[in-house]
Amino acid sequence: MSDYEKLGVFYLGREYNLASGQLSDTPVLYDSKDLTTHALCVGMTGSGKTGLCLSLLEEAAIDGLPAICIDPKGDLGNLLLTFPSLKPADFKPWIDPGEATRKGLTVDELAARTATQWKEGLAAWDQPPERISRFRESADVCIYTPGSTVGVPLTILKSLSAPPPVIRDNAEAFRERIGSAVSGLLALLGVDADPLRSREHILLSTLVERSWRDGQNLELGRLIRDIQQPPFDRVGFLDLESFFPAKDRFSFAMSLNNLLASPGFQAWMTGEPLDIQRLLYTPEGKPRIAILSIAHLSDAERMFFVTILLGEVISWMRAQSGTTALRALLYMDEIFGYFPPSANPPSKQPMLTLLKQARAFGLGCVLATQNPVDLDYKGLSNCGTWLIGRLQTERDKLRVLDGLEGASTATGHAFDRSSMEKLLSSLGSRVFLMNNVHDDQPTVFQSRWALSYLRGPLSREQIQLLMDERKSQMPEDHTASTWHADAATGTRPVLPPEVSEVFIERSGALSTGENLIYHPALYATARIHFTQTTGGIDEWQTVSLLLPAHEGEALNWEAAEELEGELTLASSPEANATFTQPPAELFRAKTYTSQATALKDCLYRSRKLSLFKCADPKGISLPGESEGDFRQRLDQGHRDQRELAKAKIQAKYQSKLQTLEDRLRRAEQTAEKQKSQANSQTLSAVISFGTSLLGAFTSRKKISTTNLSRAATSARAASRVLEERGDVGRAEETVEAVRLQIQKLQDDFQHEIDEIVGLDPSRYVLEETQLTPKKTDMKVERMILAWVPFKQDRSGKVIPTW
């Protein structure tokens, strides 16, 4: 067994000599127990920071240590890309086609190159493929996506449940838990709340404390009602109205209600509970790397979730027994914005609490950033290990030096600032300086090759692909139907004259022993207008909605049931029916006006007109047009465009072709003329040569002046023949060159024609697009209290009957 496979030892890399630039064979082995004093990893983009941190998480998993990882960028999902066989086919689905194109390779070629690179990289760092298998078998890796169903969803409802007695009995812990829950909720509302000065924070904290002190879970609908009508009339020494007038409380309650009613918030209410123990371990007890991906969230939503999560971690931590060993890790990939030096966001206080107190419970915090100037180094003086990579600016380096000096002072260690500054200035890619207060001196090392394929941030689609199988194995969410009848209170309520009511007619007869119960609801009809000038779309839609109204629950139009058509209504109830009590706000006429506005807002946010869109050929479907009809219409339009394009191409090439054909004709004529002249000269030369030769044979004198003259004439004729033949060759070359130009022009023409040849309509790439309604044209035509009939049998079962 290698030294780094021993329990409690993390293999981070090998020592590196900055002076010589040489990598030694000495492994850098990190004692996992040192992480109980926490760690900070800083480095600019390209420094290798992400690779080092993922390697640390791999080592923790191999060592049987669970980790909760906050992932604001999407890089940590790479921990799922582990391929023990190291085959190109394993890497291929995760290869970026754009990267392959930039490198001049096909996806298959880049996959093969990547597989070879990973195989050679692991071998160079003394890591056999079996180590990948060991990592995969040691821990369960899961991507959670709070506020989304792309990965495994998380619900925050548990975070608003009453904490266990161990927290309630600890005044400081109880106060921290209330503060983090309230601060997170207010951050999501966009309220910058100082816990000591903000009346919103003080009011919510008081309400939460009253509920939790009695062990009662905090239900958001009830919280909204309590904001409007708190169960107390004084806050501190002031009466409630002076501290927070009713009008302002109503506005605050509506803000919270609108948040709950928004489509995006519904995703926060479903999924697995935000249970720290469940995140750290599977039900079978296997350690887990829980990747909490928040890249898809807005800044306010991220702050809300991180604050709530840190509060949950603190509660879990305080419920553990003390230990000096490392029990679990909390890792945050980019802490920028959550732990600033001067501002005080909701996440800062719980993070500071963890850095100060988690050591006693065996929880190690590992924080990473590429923005060291934006961190609170007074708080980070609690970090015992600093992993420092290449830094971008001198300002970054100075801030890191300040932080290192503070950490050394806090632990009583000497700090040589000048030598440390020289080391920081010499770091290169994947080369890090480790300053561990538990070691005698800093260590410079190069990080090892990661077991996971570091392909960069994962997209939403890739996360969904990785988590689809896991989600299919999750138990179904058997959420109760929106419709249920509360306990009947008896007689029909008396409404003020300005509030109208209708009664939905019952369907079917009541059997013996069955009772009729009316349950209150809001019945609304609205008209929605969709327009798009470029697509020629002008569509009106009418919707009818029925929203159940339960006592203690907020009115949320996202939960309304859409009706097929108009309801059959009556002006009076049936005899002998009983009624459930409607919420108090339904007794006020203003409620119906405000609910009409809330409905318009809800419809504007959630109601979309789904259409098909095609980029090539460009087009958008009409409302109600089927996919097949749209494809055919696109094809027909594309055919017309192709014909126009062909005509333009033909016109462009026609003039060029005509010019070349004229040039070819002239070249061929020149070649024929040169051939004719060459033949004539050849004949003359033959005759001249024959005459001179005959004269030489028939003359008495072998050599005479006449014979010499004839011979010279024959030689000149032969020379002219050679010249003419050269002219013929050149003329024929010209003809051939022009023919090649014509052939190239024809090839170019055919290529352009081939480029615009249409595809089969079924192969057009369509994507769904959604039009938002025109808010100014939206009309709520009816908003009224409707009584919905239910029947109750002898067993007490209540069934809707309308």
Side-chain angles (χ1 to χ4, degrees), residues 383-445:
C383 291
T385 301
W386 288 57
L387 301 165
I388 307 164
R390 186 171 57 187
L391 300 173
Q392 191 163 11
T393 66
E394 284 297 315
R395 185 171 171 231
D396 289 337
K397 185 169 65 176
L398 292 175
R399 290 304 301 271
V400 167
L401 287 169
D402 291 342
L404 284 172
E405 189 169 12
S408 298
T409 302
T411 56
H413 286 70
F415 182 73
D416 188 340
R417 189 180 181 98
S418 60
S419 62
M420 188 67 69
E421 184 175 0
K422 291 179 182 178
L423 288 175
L424 292 181
S425 301
S426 305
L427 300 175
S429 179
R430 287 184 57 201
V431 176
F432 290 84
L433 170 68
M434 179 170 65
N435 190 71
N436 186 353
V437 296
H438 304 282
D439 295 340
D440 295 331
Q441 60 185 13
T443 302
V444 178
F445 70 99

Side-chain angles (χ1 to χ4, degrees), residues 150 177 206 576 694:
V150 171
R177 178 66 183 274
T206 305
N576 302 321
L694 181 61

Side-chain angles (χ1 to χ4, degrees), residues 7 41 148 158 162 310 325 331-332 422 450 581 629 652 658 679 685 727:
L7 188 65
C41 183
S148 171
K158 185 180 182 301
L310 296 181
Y331 171 72
M332 188 163 184
K422 291 179 182 178
Q581 184 72 13
D629 290 343
K652 180 178 72 172
Q658 185 65 48
N679 290 337
D727 291 341

Side-chain angles (χ1 to χ4, degrees), residues 193-210:
D194 185 329
L196 298 179
R197 298 182 180 181
S198 166
R199 61 181 183 178
E200 290 87 358
H201 199 292
I202 294 172
L203 177 62
L204 281 184
S205 297
T206 305
L207 292 172
V208 170
E209 181 180 6
R210 289 176 67 95

Side-chain angles (χ1 to χ4, degrees), residues 40 332-339 351 367-369 374-375 380:
L40 173 70
M332 188 163 184
D333 188 33
E334 183 52 73
I335 195 174
F336 167 70
Y338 297 91
F339 201 62
M351 180 64 77
L367 310 176
T369 186
D374 295 308
L375 299 182
L380 292 175

Side-chain angles (χ1 to χ4, degrees), residues 556-572:
N556 177 9
W557 284 101
E558 290 297 323
E561 179 177 346
E562 185 169 352
L563 308 173
E564 292 291 335
E566 293 285 331
L567 291 173
T568 304
L569 304 175
S571 58
S572 59

Side-chain angles (χ1 to χ4, degrees), residues 113-128:
R113 178 181 294 188
T114 303
T116 301
Q117 179 187 15
W118 237 256
K119 187 179 300 182
E120 293 174 350
L122 290 171
W125 289 87
D126 192 28
Q127 297 185 102

Side-chain angles (χ1 to χ4, degrees), residues 364-599:
C365 299
V366 181
L367 310 176
T369 186
Q370 56 181 313
N371 299 285
V373 297
D374 295 308
L375 299 182
D376 185 342
Y377 281 99
K378 292 182 179 179
L380 292 175
S381 63
N382 294 280
C383 291
T385 301
W386 288 57
L387 301 165
I388 307 164
R390 186 171 57 187
L391 300 173
Q392 191 163 11
T393 66
E394 284 297 315
R395 185 171 171 231
D396 289 337
K397 185 169 65 176
L398 292 175
R399 290 304 301 271
V400 167
L401 287 169
D402 291 342
L404 284 172
E405 189 169 12
S408 298
T409 302
T411 56
H413 286 70
F415 182 73
D416 188 340
R417 189 180 181 98
S418 60
S419 62
M420 188 67 69
E421 184 175 0
K422 291 179 182 178
L423 288 175
L424 292 181
S425 301
S426 305
L427 300 175
S429 179
R430 287 184 57 201
V431 176
F432 290 84
L433 170 68
M434 179 170 65
N435 190 71
N436 186 353
V437 296
H438 304 282
D439 295 340
D440 295 331
Q441 60 185 13
T443 302
V444 178
F445 70 99
Q446 187 175 83
S447 60
R448 70 162 174 81
W449 198 270
L451 302 175
S452 311
Y453 169 41
L454 307 182
R455 59 93 52 214
L458 297 181
S459 66
R460 292 168 63 92
E461 292 75 16
Q462 289 168 330
I463 292 176
Q464 187 166 11
L465 180 63
L466 287 169
M467 291 293 103
D468 270 348
E469 182 177 355
R470 181 185 295 266
K471 289 193 291 183
S472 67
Q473 298 172 353
M474 292 171 56
E476 294 184 11
D477 184 10
H478 297 290
T479 304
S481 170
T482 302
W483 280 106
H484 62 274
D486 298 327
T489 58
T491 59
R492 174 184 174 184
V494 177
L495 300 174
E498 61 269 22
V499 175
S500 302
E501 60 183 338
V502 293
F503 300 84
I504 299 175
E505 290 193 357
R506 173 173 50 84
S507 62
L510 293 177
S511 302
T512 303
E514 291 182 334
N515 299 317
L516 184 65
I517 301 174
Y518 281 110
H519 177 76
L522 286 179
Y523 175 46
T525 58
R527 282 174 55 78
I528 309 171
H529 192 198
F530 297 92
T531 61
Q532 190 194 61
T533 304
T534 56
I537 297 170
D538 188 354
E539 174 80 359
W540 284 92
Q541 292 183 356
T542 300
V543 295
S544 298
L545 300 168
L546 197 62
L547 174 63
H550 299 294
E551 183 70 22
E553 294 184 12
L555 294 171
N556 177 9
W557 284 101
E558 290 297 323
E561 179 177 346
E562 185 169 352
L563 308 173
E564 292 291 335
E566 293 285 331
L567 291 173
T568 304
L569 304 175
S571 58
S572 59
E574 293 189 27
N576 302 321
T578 54
F579 291 78
T580 57
Q581 184 72 13
E585 60 260 38
L586 294 188
F587 286 84
R588 296 188 291 268
K590 290 183 178 179
T591 298
Y592 299 87
T593 303
S594 64
Q595 286 303 313
T597 302
L599 174 57

